[in-house]
Amino acid sequence: MPKFTSRRSVAVAACVGVVVIGTVVGGAYALVGVGNNYAVGEQPKAGKQTVVTAEATGTVVSRVQNTAFLDPEIKVITVPLGVKFKVPGQLYGTRAKQPIQLGPPGVEGMTQDCFGSRMAITFDDGKKLLYPFLQHLRDFPDEAPGSEHVPNGTPIDTSTIRLLDLTTGEDSLLLSGARSMALRADGKFAYAKGVEENYRYNFPYLQRIMVQDGLSGSPECWTTDSGIYSVLQWAKGALFVERQYEGEATEVVALTGPDQMKLIVGQDERLLAVSPDGSQIAVASGICDPSGETCLRIVRWETGAEVCRLRMDQVLDPASGEKVQLGRRGSWEGSTLIVGLTPTGAALLSTEADKLELKDVIALRYPKLRLGTDPEPLLNADATKIFLVTDEATGQAELERTAVITYDLASGECARWIVPDRAAITNLVFDPSRPR
Amino acid sequence: MFSTRTAGAGRYFLIALFVCGISLGLVPSKAHAAYIGWFDYGRNGTNTNGTLSWQFTLNDNPPVHTVSWRAGSGKELNDHLNVGWLPSGWYSVRGHWNDYYGTKIWGRVWYLSDKYNEHSVKRTALFIHTEETRANGQSATYEPQRWDGVSDYLSEGCVKIAYGSDLDNMHLYWNNYGGGTEHGNGSPYPLASKLYVHN
């Protein structure tokens, strides 16, 4: 049984008898639970904060329909798990009948950034793809007693960025010793360039941020000091970059030119999404009040002014009634903001009129879903669908799978495309840069 | 140059404690012994209530002696970059300082080797540490240099141990029972197979 605070008890009492109504929506496959308020307003402490008084229903997705094809609006890159970084991944979602094998032929490596950037970008009306390829040089040391001693400084792998022409199939090396990238609609291209070509064992892979006009322009260094960086995205004239410190503490800075850097997300916060016009950011904050409760904040990043906020301790999982945690990423299109939740779910919010209103709390609970994973939801361009990546548990390791879920916000229909053959690291291909 | 200083008054308390331990047979005598020691971190399914042990043998013979302290790692129950606990497996200690001076971490630290997580992402810049000043004290004004309680066991991935007797004792065992007395990241570092992480 969920534990209710006194405030929640009032809400529950007001909804007696309406705990969960199993409803098949639109002849589709979602079981919808209705009845509780999943957010309650909090009075602002400063003049400019907007009161959040959202009342939202929760949706429990208890069934999905399998589909043989990935939704035509999304592409994914899958990298098989358990192949020790030697087997490149595949691109799904093109018009080709078969998935496209990525990476240079015959070269061992992994079609993923090894430092956590998920970035792969299509451009030129979807005809070209920029993607990371980690070239494998030698096995990563395991440090177990009796294992081969690998000296510090031994080259282990090389980060590269490759360019695939989806029309001709031509796949070429764009940059070596470089990783994580962003491409703006006007062609402004940014990436992190390694001070050294290779990652060397136990040596920090230091980089500088480079910016150039187009893929073949002359690079300009925007960070004289080398550091551990990941390029996140463009936001109007600024480039958002994550900077990592010892202990893996991270901050997000906005770069507006060579060595012009502004801290926009501190280490107690996490950047979730950027508004369509690039002027506002959604952040998960662990410093909202003295109690340390997490909240979702909308901030004008250029001034640091808070637009509005939502306390997360009042957002409940509609399946269990328990508190949820904000996930690592969100997505923002128009005035619709979606953020990932754990256990596996998402919160749908409206950002209209500089207010943050919780519209729905969606909990995925269909059979054989591996609960707990953060599905890192992505909205399509017109904010009518959500794409989520899930792990499908079967009880047998060799049969476990990864899936891409397409959730239709209007109908509640939920479709599941299972990555063929085996469990895989599955990254959605999308370009968060603004403007596109 | 690296300081070998420990906290002033606590140092004498530790020595007394240690002598007591030897006289009661809780720890073996160090004389003429060659110790082999390593850290063991069991996550116990939590981010704030794991068990960090120092395990050691005398002349590579059984039994394996174990001393344990509460420790924490990560903010989430997975091994994801920046938020999850330390990935499973063996680590080398690539450096050890008593007066580390970083931007987020200070004081007594053990710098760990890089490791891939379950999703093929490298975890780097990982340490065993507490929250203290470079001089091993507590800051009245700066929270990251002050141990406040259970929430301080949380980390982006590092293993964290409480300031005070827990860290003091752990450091003592590291120094005397198969860890090392050298500081910095030069020879003899890296020391292979010095931390084993498991569920």
Side-chain angles (χ1 to χ4, degrees), chain B:
Chain B
M1 294 297 291
F2 300 101
S3 164
T4 56
R5 177 174 41 184
T6 56
R11 186 179 191 180
Y12 298 105
F13 172 74
L14 278 174
I15 290 168
L17 194 71
F18 196 67
V19 169
C20 256
I22 291 172
S23 65
L24 291 171
L26 298 177
V27 290
S29 164
K30 191 185 172 216
H32 310 298
Y35 290 98
I36 296 173
W38 64 95
F39 289 112
D40 178 284
Y41 181 63
R43 301 175 188 134
N44 301 339
T46 81
N47 297 118
T48 60
N49 203 9
T51 304
L52 180 63
S53 303
W54 182 250
Q55 303 192 335
F56 61 99
T57 63
L58 177 59
N59 297 324
D60 206 11
N61 292 320
V64 176
H65 301 273
T66 300
V67 262
S68 301
W69 306 272
R70 179 176 178 174
S73 176
K75 296 172 181 168
E76 295 181 2
L77 305 180
N78 56 51
D79 64 1
H80 292 170
L81 180 70
N82 305 134
V83 293
W85 52 34
L86 208 60
S88 299
W90 282 95
Y91 293 76
S92 62
V93 169
R94 57 207 267 198
H96 167 54
W97 291 263
N98 283 356
D99 60 350
Y100 188 79
Y101 188 65
T103 52
K104 306 293 177 189
I105 295 170
W106 301 267
R108 289 164 286 185
V109 303
W110 288 258
Y111 189 17
L112 305 173
S113 54
D114 295 345
K115 178 72 84 186
Y116 267 102
N117 71 5
E118 289 181 353
H119 286 81
S120 302
V121 173
K122 281 192 189 92
R123 305 294 303 273
T124 64
L126 299 165
F127 293 78
I128 301 172
H129 69 101
T130 188
E131 292 192 4
E132 66 178 8
T133 66
R134 183 183 186 184
N136 307 156
Q138 292 284 279
S139 169
T141 55
Y142 190 43
E143 197 285 328
Q145 294 182 343
R146 183 183 66 238
W147 190 267
D148 292 311
V150 172
S151 64
D152 281 344
Y153 284 112
L154 296 171
S155 72
E156 278 80 17
C158 294
V159 174
K160 289 176 73 179
I161 181 169
Y163 178 82
S165 59
D166 283 5
L167 178 62
D168 292 343
N169 280 320
M170 191 189 83
H171 194 203
L172 198 69
Y173 275 94
W174 167 267
N175 277 341
N176 293 287
Y177 291 94
T181 55
E182 297 81 1
H183 298 93
N185 57 359
S187 179
Y189 299 103
L191 295 171
S193 310
K194 281 293 182 192
L195 168 65
Y196 182 60
V197 177
H198 55 92
N199 285 326

Side-chain angles (χ1 to χ4, degrees), chain A residues 12-163:
Chain A
V12 170
C15 302
V16 171
V18 197
V19 178
V20 173
I21 301 172
T23 309
V24 178
V25 177
Y29 303 88
L31 181 68
V32 181
V34 183
N36 282 332
N37 294 337
Y38 292 103
V40 180
E42 174 75 2
Q43 290 297 324
K45 292 172 183 168
K48 278 210 157 187
Q49 294 170 354
T50 302
V51 181
V52 177
T53 55
E55 294 184 359
T57 57
T59 301
V60 180
V61 179
S62 62
R63 282 187 285 176
V64 292
Q65 181 182 31
N66 285 333
T67 171
F69 301 101
L70 194 58
D71 188 286
E73 289 191 60
I74 191 72
K75 294 181 176 63
V76 300
I77 292 176
T78 67
V79 179
L81 275 172
V83 293
K84 295 208 166 186
F85 327 118
K86 292 181 180 177
V87 178
Q90 295 180 311
L91 175 69
Y92 288 89
T94 65
R95 289 181 182 175
K97 287 184 178 175
Q98 299 296 322
I100 296 173
Q101 182 66 50
L102 298 171
V107 178
E108 288 184 341
M110 179 171 65
T111 320
Q112 181 177 304
D113 174 59
C114 65
F115 294 100
S117 170
R118 300 188 317 158
M119 208 48 62
I121 303 167
T122 54
F123 64 105
D124 196 7
D125 289 332
K127 293 175 190 158
K128 291 178 179 168
L129 173 77
L130 284 168
Y131 70 95
F133 179 75
L134 184 76
Q135 186 171 343
H136 177 90
L137 302 178
R138 62 153 297 141
D139 288 346
F140 201 84
D142 70 3
E143 293 292 349
S147 295
E148 176 194 7
H149 172 64
V150 177
N152 283 354
T154 302
I156 301 290
D157 48 49
T158 309
S159 291
T160 68
I161 297 172
R162 298 187 67 85
L163 174 62

